Amino acid sequence: MHAEKNQTTPQIFDLALSTDWEYDRDFIDLLEKQAREQNLKTYVIWAGNLDNTYEKLRAGRIKFRFLFDRASDTTPDFYKIQDWMLKNHGQVFESLEELNWASDKATMHLEFIANGLYTPYTVILPPYNDIQDDIKIPSTEQAALGNPFIIKPANTTGGGRGVVDGATTFQEICDARKNYPADKYLIQEKVKPLERDGYRFWFRGFFACGLIQVSWWHDLTRLYKELTTEEVSRYGLEPLYTIIENIAGICRLKFFSTEMALLPDNRLVVVDYVNESSDMRLKSKAADGVPDHIVRNNARQIVRYIQGRLHA
């Protein structure tokens, strides 16, 4: 008789959720709740169990059918889970490669213009590592930018990192480029939205697997306020939804947020192009959080999409 091989039967989870941010807990909980309602078995990966989880995957003790990764773009050590999934026929909600392409502000700026979307007037500068002291901005472009202006790194995202809001001198551009010397930089005009009826016409839109939601968002206080159907009709804001749908087609992501402003000349301008890892803190838990119903709807729509993929 031949000795039987010792084979491990893996414990199978329908949906793995990676997170590296403590304030993501409520969103992860909502995703898990929605998954349970769809009879999907979930597994949460965080810093405390990351290495152990990876070893279990490699040993064949656990298996994930689908990965929703909220961590690899900000904590590279998490990428080994995604990499394992991609190499072993697992499904990933959005790969790091897809996120990186969509999060490049310089690329999105050019793509948006090519597709007929209004953006702030922008000058794109190469990385400091490529060109250092001989950077020049022609006087005509300086005039179009206005003063003050905004300085943004193209690929360094999240929480306004690297952004200089209200710059007034060329020296500030030179100094900012040294902060992330391998990154391209966008020098943008400072958008001044329409102010009317006590509203500042700045909005944040959310796209989740075909679901589009829009909220007022105050760019100075960073606070959300529900945008009602009546307000959409009263102020003619229906084009906001079309713009977000167009952005989804351009960036090719299934889940993102974006910022738009209505100008006094009635143009809708896309201000912050694609936030590929949207802050989903609940307004009921944080003053500057997202309205709870928007977060819940996003979680529901994402899980429905994943369930459809798992049963395709």
Side-chain angles (χ1 to χ4, degrees), residues 31 34 93 207-213 254 295-307:
L31 287 165
Q34 291 297 325
F93 184 76
F207 183 90
C209 303
L211 174 66
I212 297 173
Q213 302 177 93
K254 294 178 283 294
V295 180
R296 286 194 298 268
N297 291 341
N298 285 339
R300 184 182 303 112
Q301 190 75 2
I302 289 167
V303 170
R304 285 176 177 171
Y305 170 84
I306 292 171
Q307 183 193 39

Side-chain angles (χ1 to χ4, degrees), residues 2-8:
H2 295 286
E4 292 185 4
K5 292 182 179 179
N6 182 20
Q7 294 183 334
T8 301

Side-chain angles (χ1 to χ4, degrees), residues 18-78:
S18 293
T19 178
D20 64 346
W21 193 38
E22 60 181 310
Y23 299 109
D24 226 12
R25 185 68 251 182
D26 289 320
F27 185 47
I28 296 298
D29 286 345
L30 285 169
L31 287 165
E32 283 201 285
K33 178 178 182 292
Q34 291 297 325
R36 286 194 297 270
E37 290 181 3
Q38 302 298 328
N39 297 313
L40 301 181
K41 191 174 182 180
T42 62
Y43 185 109
V44 178
I45 306 165
W46 49 287
N49 70 354
L50 173 61
D51 291 336
N52 182 253
T53 297
Y54 182 58
E55 290 308 314
K56 286 180 178 179
L57 276 175
R58 294 183 61 196
R61 292 163 57 193
I62 58 175
K63 179 180 179 180
F64 302 142
R65 298 177 65 199
F66 213 108
L67 173 66
F68 184 73
D69 189 346
R70 294 269 291 175
S72 291
D73 59 333
T74 47
T75 306
D77 199 34
F78 275 84

Side-chain angles (χ1 to χ4, degrees), residues 32 34 69 83 86 97 126-127 142-144 169 182 191 198 218 264 302:
E32 283 201 285
Q34 291 297 325
D69 189 346
D83 187 51
L86 294 171
E97 182 180 2
Q142 290 182 35
T169 67
V191 169
H218 199 294
I302 289 167

Side-chain angles (χ1 to χ4, degrees), residues 214-242:
V214 184
S215 175
W216 294 100
W217 188 76
H218 199 294
D219 60 306
L220 303 180
T221 66
R222 308 185 71 83
L223 298 179
Y224 289 89
K225 181 182 180 298
E226 181 180 1
L227 175 65
T228 67
T229 303
E230 189 274 331
E231 289 168 337
V232 171
S233 177
R234 185 199 318 166
Y235 297 117
L237 299 174
E238 293 86 354
L240 288 169
Y241 297 83
T242 303

Side-chain angles (χ1 to χ4, degrees), residues 1-159:
M1 294 179 64
H2 295 286
E4 292 185 4
K5 292 182 179 179
N6 182 20
Q7 294 183 334
T8 301
T9 301
Q11 187 177 8
I12 299 175
F13 296 89
D14 299 299
L15 174 60
L17 302 154
S18 293
T19 178
D20 64 346
W21 193 38
E22 60 181 310
Y23 299 109
D24 226 12
R25 185 68 251 182
D26 289 320
F27 185 47
I28 296 298
D29 286 345
L30 285 169
L31 287 165
E32 283 201 285
K33 178 178 182 292
Q34 291 297 325
R36 286 194 297 270
E37 290 181 3
Q38 302 298 328
N39 297 313
L40 301 181
K41 191 174 182 180
T42 62
Y43 185 109
V44 178
I45 306 165
W46 49 287
N49 70 354
L50 173 61
D51 291 336
N52 182 253
T53 297
Y54 182 58
E55 290 308 314
K56 286 180 178 179
L57 276 175
R58 294 183 61 196
R61 292 163 57 193
I62 58 175
K63 179 180 179 180
F64 302 142
R65 298 177 65 199
F66 213 108
L67 173 66
F68 184 73
D69 189 346
R70 294 269 291 175
S72 291
D73 59 333
T74 47
T75 306
D77 199 34
F78 275 84
Y79 181 70
K80 58 192 174 189
I81 303 291
Q82 184 178 137
D83 187 51
W84 176 268
M85 293 284 291
L86 294 171
K87 290 177 178 176
N88 289 274
H89 311 293
Q91 296 190 67
V92 176
F93 184 76
E94 283 170 338
S95 70
L96 186 59
E97 182 180 2
E98 292 171 314
L99 294 179
N100 286 342
W101 185 81
S103 68
D104 187 313
K105 295 180 182 67
T107 297
M108 288 298 102
H109 177 78
L110 298 174
E111 291 284 340
F112 282 18
I113 291 175
N115 284 274
L117 296 179
Y118 288 114
T119 61
Y121 188 85
T122 300
V123 176
I124 300 174
L125 299 180
Y128 179 81
N129 286 348
D130 294 349
I131 300 179
Q132 299 178 7
D133 298 330
D134 56 348
I135 283 290
K136 292 182 176 62
I137 298 178
S139 58
T140 54
E141 293 189 334
Q142 290 182 35
L145 286 169
N147 198 300
F149 51 85
I150 309 294
I151 306 171
K152 293 180 181 178
N155 293 282
T156 305
T157 62

